[in-house]
Amino acid sequence: MSSEKIIIAIDGYSSSGKSTMARRLAKEIGYRYIDSGAMYRAVTLYAMRNSMIEADGSVITAALVEALPDIHIDFKVDGDGQLTMLNGEIVENAIRTLEVSNHVSPVAAIPAVRHALVKMQREMGKTKGIVMDGRDIGTVVFPQAEMKVFCNATPERRAERRFKELTAKGADVTYEDVLANVMERDHIDMTREESPLRCADDAVMLDNSAMTLDEQNEWLLNLYNSIIAKQK
Ligand code: DC
């Protein structure tokens, strides 16, 4: 079998289960996993903490763009998972709140933010052996990725998953709020001018609405094995 490591890009809609799949595949095959959404969330948290988001939700773009060189994002390995770090502080829980989810799409639509994060993401993929999930990984960050997957599930199914995740952490949210957030983010992510969410022409599509986690993982591992077999 070829020992050549590859780049695996997993894109898709919010809460489509891509992070869970990507993380499990990375662990199984001994690759590094990077959650690119966590990076957009960390920039959003920085903007919120530094009063760069107005009461109406609009972002003070000039201030945020000026601050970009001061925003350092990294990941710290923690057992099987990883913790997102913002300027040396662990912000893994702070970036998962509904408040951050509500502000992240306009931040992720700012071209200078995307350029800065894409540059960091390409740096992380230099030595290959990486599974990265997000919205533009197969289209913009690594168009040359050897394996590309595009995930989807119905908005209701995705909201249900995110609602369970949030309430398990003790968040005080309603299913309706979460569904509204999922639909609003789909709209902004798909219609933004800079790197809108779309399926790469050479990505394999997966609708996992009716699949269990184990079924998704088996599907992903089979795809990986078939790609590696072709590389021999
Ligand atoms: O995957 P997530 O829900 O944690 O991502 C948070 C937001 O970041 C999402 O609304 C869109 C944005 N995002 C992006 O624009 N590009 C990426 N590669 C990853 C996430």
Side-chain angles (χ1 to χ4, degrees):
M1 186 155 127
S2 164
S3 57
E4 196 67 3
K5 293 202 166 185
I6 64 168
I7 293 182
I8 302 175
I10 304 194
D11 288 304
Y13 290 85
S14 68
S15 305
S16 59
K18 58 192 185 315
S19 302
T20 311
M21 279 173 76
R23 192 180 297 113
R24 276 173 71 164
L25 178 69
K27 189 182 167 209
E28 194 130 358
I29 64 177
Y31 276 24
R32 184 170 187 211
Y33 164 64
I34 298 291
D35 172 359
S36 69
M39 300 168 76
Y40 289 93
R41 287 174 178 272
V43 173
T44 305
L45 182 67
Y46 180 96
M48 284 162 59
R49 285 176 171 179
N50 290 279
S51 314
M52 293 170 181
I53 297 190
E54 308 266 28
D56 68 357
S58 58
V59 185
I60 308 176
T61 304
L64 180 55
V65 171
E66 202 184 315
L68 280 174
D70 301 327
I71 304 179
H72 301 285
I73 300 165
D74 210 342
F75 294 98
K76 186 178 165 191
V77 178
D78 173 50
D80 282 349
Q82 58 168 7
L83 303 171
T84 310
M85 314 276 297
L86 170 62
N87 291 338
E89 178 195 344
I90 296 172
V91 291
E92 190 54 41
N93 287 335
I95 61 168
R96 306 287 168 194
T97 62
L98 191 56
E99 205 189 347
V100 170
S101 298
N102 280 332
H103 293 302
V104 66
S105 283
V107 170
I110 299 170
V113 169
R114 303 204 69 82
H115 293 167
L117 294 190
V118 167
K119 197 165 163 231
M120 287 177 61
Q121 290 153 5
R122 286 187 179 146
E123 201 59 41
M124 293 168 174
K126 258 191 172 160
T127 49
K128 297 204 168 188
I130 193 166
V131 183
M132 193 175 287
D133 79 38
R135 304 292 189 287
D136 61 342
I137 310 305
T139 51
V140 176
V141 182
F142 299 123
Q144 80 286 17
E146 291 85 352
M147 173 168 161
K148 296 184 187 178
V149 175
F150 190 87
C151 277
N152 199 6
T154 61
E156 290 75 17
R157 187 78 186 90
R158 290 185 284 126
E160 201 182 299
R161 289 175 183 154
R162 186 53 66 104
F163 176 69
K164 276 191 192 152
E165 227 172 79
L166 287 167
T167 48
K169 285 186 195 155
D172 182 20
V173 291
T174 65
Y175 167 78
E176 287 70 28
D177 286 345
V178 177
L179 179 62
N181 174 260
V182 160
M183 293 178 74
E184 169 77 6
R185 281 202 291 150
D186 282 358
H187 178 73
I188 302 179
D189 293 347
M190 285 188 298
T191 55
R192 71 180 173 220
E193 236 167 77
E194 183 83 15
S195 313
L197 172 65
R198 68 169 186 85
C199 179
D201 296 336
D202 51 352
V204 182
M205 293 251 249
L206 172 70
D207 185 323
N208 59 25
S209 303
M211 283 168 104
T212 65
L213 276 182
D214 284 343
E215 285 166 348
Q216 288 179 56
N217 288 320
E218 199 187 326
W219 181 92
L220 198 61
L221 193 59
N222 285 340
L223 180 65
Y224 166 78
N225 284 330
S226 71
I227 288 171
I228 290 294
K230 278 190 213 137
Q231 291 213 321
K232 272 193 222 168

